[in-house]
Amino acid sequence: MVKYLHSMIRVADPEATVAFFKLIGLEEVRRFDSEAGRFTLIFLAAPGQAGLAEVELTYNWPPEDGTAPEEYAGGRNFGHLAYRVENIYETCRKLAEAGHTIHRPPRDGHMAFVKSPDGISVELLQDGHLPPAEPWASMANTGSW
């Protein structure tokens, strides 16, 4: 069982981006602010498509020290594709055995990141929750995702 969830893009001006997508016909379906992580997630969908096919806007807040905010170039503003999987450990095992690097292992039994052969980040999310398990629980992140 695999279910497409969303595509993520990073944005510099979340309200301007929401306004742009509203012109296309998308609606804001939910928003989440993380004070600890210093980011905002805004999910958009076509009418009646919430939870089926969404666009996730990620706004990384400017640094607290007043330095310039992060800029995205060369496609870095496109974040990832996301898929819900039946068993994240089994899916990651198959990918690793096929020679793919698990860049963010599913240490928590819930989320992992891998890259396609073309370097596109793919987020895997467990349908429900699995308890942390080895070898995944002890694995470090590799590269970027």
Side-chain angles (χ1 to χ4, degrees):
M1 189 258 338
V2 174
K3 180 182 177 186
Y4 175 80
L5 298 175
H6 64 262
S7 294
M8 183 272 273
I9 57 175
R10 292 177 180 86
V11 301
D13 184 339
E15 298 316 316
T17 304
V18 168
F20 167 81
F21 280 108
K22 282 184 179 180
L23 293 170
I24 294 171
L26 299 184
E27 302 170 341
E28 183 174 329
V29 295
R30 67 187 176 283
R31 184 181 289 235
F32 172 75
D33 290 319
S34 173
E35 293 285 336
R38 299 191 46 75
F39 63 85
T40 299
L41 303 179
I42 305 165
F43 291 86
L44 308 173
Q49 296 293 302
L52 298 175
E54 299 178 343
V55 173
E56 172 190 331
L57 306 180
T58 297
Y59 172 62
N60 294 310
W61 302 354
E64 288 182 283
D65 64 6
T67 58
E70 189 173 355
E71 291 185 24
Y72 308 111
R76 180 74 179 114
N77 57 324
F78 177 80
H80 60 262
L81 301 174
Y83 293 93
R84 187 174 320 283
V85 297
E86 191 170 341
N87 185 312
I88 198 163
Y89 297 134
E90 181 65 17
T91 302
C92 287
R93 182 190 62 75
K94 286 184 206 176
L95 288 162
E97 286 177 357
H100 299 283
T101 300
I102 309 302
H103 292 278
R104 195 285 190 187
R107 290 184 294 274
D108 54 5
H110 178 67
M111 178 179 65
F113 276 89
V114 297
K115 285 188 178 180
S116 75
D118 297 301
I120 301 297
S121 289
V122 177
E123 178 181 24
L124 303 173
L125 294 166
Q126 173 63 39
D127 186 19
H129 290 277
L130 295 178
E134 295 299 340
W136 311 107
S138 299
M139 291 177 126
N141 294 339
T142 302
S144 65
W145 60 89

